[in-house]
Amino acid sequence: MADSDIFDNIGELVSEERELRDRSVAHMGLSTEERARLRAVEVQLDQCWDLLRQRRALGEYGDDPTTARVRPADEVEGYQS
């Protein structure tokens, strides 16, 4: 997967996230399914950004960026800011 593919995925996820957040404001909240989807989108975005960081770090140190892998949600979500 190329960086451009990851950025395309991020763009799609951001659009969906915005749509859900807009719907939340317009309709005074989200359904249970919509809240679950919003949470899933947020996790996927975190995983995409993490993958890009991994790829850049590998490339910066002369390793093959294509060896980067999507990390499990619980690992990515456990990072400290």
Side-chain angles (χ1 to χ4, degrees), residues 15 39 53 56 71 76:
S15 293
R39 180 66 187 132
R53 284 190 294 274
R56 289 187 177 158
R71 295 182 210 206
V76 173

Side-chain angles (χ1 to χ4, degrees), residues 1-62:
M1 178 182 295
D3 284 358
S4 61
D5 295 328
I6 298 168
F7 279 116
D8 288 345
N9 192 22
I10 287 170
E12 291 170 11
L13 290 167
V14 166
S15 293
E16 185 175 359
E17 180 185 34
R18 283 186 185 140
E19 180 182 314
L20 286 165
R21 290 189 187 282
D22 289 347
R23 192 175 316 149
S24 173
V25 172
H27 299 291
M28 303 293 283
L30 297 173
S31 69
T32 302
E33 295 83 19
E34 290 169 323
R35 282 192 306 275
R37 180 59 190 155
L38 178 57
R39 180 66 187 132
V41 167
E42 291 169 342
V43 169
Q44 289 175 329
L45 280 168
D46 289 344
Q47 288 174 307
C48 287
W49 287 117
D50 176 68
L51 181 59
L52 282 174
R53 284 190 294 274
Q54 286 181 62
R55 290 173 59 85
R56 289 187 177 158
L58 287 166
E60 190 173 311
Y61 289 98

